[in-house]
Amino acid sequence: MKSPLTAAALTLAASASFAETLTLYTSQPNTDAQMTVDAFMAANPGIEVEWVRDGTTQLMARLMAEIEAGSPQPDVLLIADTVTLEGMAQAGQLKAYQSPEAAAYDPALYSADGYYYSTKLITTGIIYNAGAAMQPSSWADLADPSLKGQVVMPSPLYSGAALIHLATLTGDKDLGWDYYSTLAAHDARAQGGNGGVFKAVASGEKPYGVVVDFLAIRSKADGSPVEFVFPKEGVSYVTEPVAILESAKNVDAAQKFVDFVLSQKGQDLVLDMGYIPARNDMGVPAGFPAREEIKLMSFDAAKALADAEVNKAKFTELFGAE
């Protein structure tokens, strides 16, 4: 006769054998990724999630090597930007899925064919030290001759968000490449990523900078001597999109994951993490202006993908390859 413990163990093993397994590759910070996975599994108790976390560049290198070897592992991706996923969609590496949750989103925030969907808005704006002489309100202000040698920004050779920012501003009819030429002429420094920019401005090494919103806003709340501005021309943005691999082994679970992160519950989670949800009619985290006060600049992921290498080369000519 089996003991109650043995019987329970067999029951658990049997139920586990029937559980679906979803494999996720994500560039979310570890804490955010764990929150996302835990909330999804709580909402879908029959699905187990195995996940791998790394930077988008490193994840994509790993995934492309797997694809080349004929053994891609993930069912679903949740990574930094739509440009990367647009490239995969054009290469036939993503599976189209028309999520019913898309009705609650601006069409500009997802692929019309259903290849990827934005899950949050991480905008890039202006950071300045609380002791700075001028309080900028626009991108144009950073190009003022009086700020010569005082501006720092992340390099698009290093940061995906910075590359999207470059594509967005150079595509703007009132800014364009002339704007970046002026910044270069005024000795603006372009080096490293957003973290380095924040440190330079917070320390007072450079009074003004270009940085992602949450880094400045959260740090200000923690007492850092910085201010953050959503420029009047608008902001560029990355959206941490979600997508299903064409080679997905568990399509049903992958579709459920997409629906979950786009759902009200999934977007409440984004808000709890301290980001602007991509879904319409949602609130914003503490310290952010009202959603309707944040102007998103026009952005075309397909054009940004096509122009990426040319944009990097032009930028290098102006600012060097740091």
Side-chain angles (χ1 to χ4, degrees), residues 4 14-16 24 26 33 35 42 56 62 99 106 140 167 182 190 219 227 250 260-262:
S15 63
L24 166 70
T26 182
M35 286 176 65
T56 293
R62 173 174 176 160
S99 173
D106 185 322
T182 302
S219 298
E227 299 290 341
N250 195 336
F260 174 78
V261 295
L262 299 180

Side-chain angles (χ1 to χ4, degrees), residues 10-322:
L10 288 172
T11 301
L12 181 63
S15 63
S17 68
F18 288 107
E20 298 177 89
T21 299
L22 177 74
T23 302
L24 166 70
Y25 278 15
T26 182
S27 61
Q28 285 188 311
N30 278 314
T31 300
D32 293 352
Q34 190 68 63
M35 286 176 65
T36 301
V37 167
D38 288 348
F40 172 72
M41 289 195 299
N44 297 270
I47 301 175
E48 295 291 324
V49 179
E50 296 179 353
W51 56 283
V52 173
R53 189 273 156 194
D54 208 335
T56 293
T57 301
Q58 292 80 7
L59 275 179
M60 292 308 299
R62 173 174 176 160
L63 176 56
M64 291 306 143
E66 291 173 356
I67 291 173
E68 184 71 21
S71 59
Q73 297 302 303
D75 297 296
V76 66
L77 299 176
L78 183 60
I79 61 172
D81 65 89
T82 53
V83 175
T84 298
L85 293 185
E86 177 64 28
M88 292 188 70
Q90 292 184 18
Q93 294 166 337
L94 299 182
K95 184 179 293 293
Y97 171 56
Q98 297 293 339
S99 173
E101 298 291 344
Y105 287 73
D106 185 322
L109 295 179
Y110 61 89
S111 159
D113 295 321
Y115 288 117
Y116 51 83
Y117 297 88
S118 299
T119 66
K120 63 185 61 166
L121 300 176
I122 301 175
T123 73
T124 291
I126 298 171
I127 183 175
Y128 66 94
N129 189 281
M134 185 179 84
Q135 297 179 359
S137 62
S138 69
W139 293 118
D141 286 344
L142 293 188
D144 190 286
S146 67
L147 302 191
K148 185 171 183 177
Q150 299 181 56
V151 177
V152 61
M153 55 188 167
S155 170
L157 308 179
Y158 183 91
S159 162
L163 182 59
I164 286 176
H165 181 69
L166 175 67
T168 301
L169 267 62
T170 55
D172 183 86
K173 62 181 179 61
D174 296 320
L175 294 170
W177 278 103
D178 287 345
Y179 175 70
Y180 277 91
S181 295
T182 302
L183 288 174
H186 293 167
D187 299 329
R189 187 181 79 192
Q191 185 176 10
N194 284 275
V197 169
F198 171 77
K199 289 177 183 177
V201 175
S203 69
E205 176 193 345
K206 296 286 185 180
Y208 308 96
V210 176
V211 78
V212 289
D213 54 24
F214 69 88
L215 196 56
I217 291 173
R218 291 179 189 174
S219 298
K220 178 187 174 182
D222 290 338
S224 187
V226 297
E227 299 290 341
F228 185 79
V229 176
F230 290 84
K232 62 185 180 183
E233 301 97 336
V235 288
S236 65
Y237 58 96
V238 294
T239 64
E240 199 169 89
V242 63
I244 301 172
L245 271 290
E246 175 59 34
S247 55
K249 301 177 183 67
N250 195 336
V251 175
D252 179 65
Q255 291 176 348
K256 288 177 180 175
F257 185 84
V258 170
D259 290 344
F260 174 78
V261 295
L262 299 180
S263 70
Q264 182 78 46
K265 184 178 291 187
Q267 291 292 286
D268 283 339
L269 195 63
V270 169
L271 193 56
D272 290 343
M273 292 174 187
Y275 303 100
I276 305 171
R279 189 180 176 101
N280 295 337
D281 302 322
M282 296 285 294
V284 294
F288 284 72
R291 177 74 171 267
E292 59 270 18
E293 295 177 18
I294 301 172
K295 179 183 177 183
L296 301 180
M297 299 179 77
S298 178
F299 176 68
D300 184 332
K303 187 175 189 309
L305 176 67
D307 294 346
E309 295 309 313
V310 170
N311 284 349
K312 288 179 184 178
K314 285 185 179 180
F315 190 89
T316 301
E317 288 177 14
L318 290 172
F319 296 94
E322 290 186 282

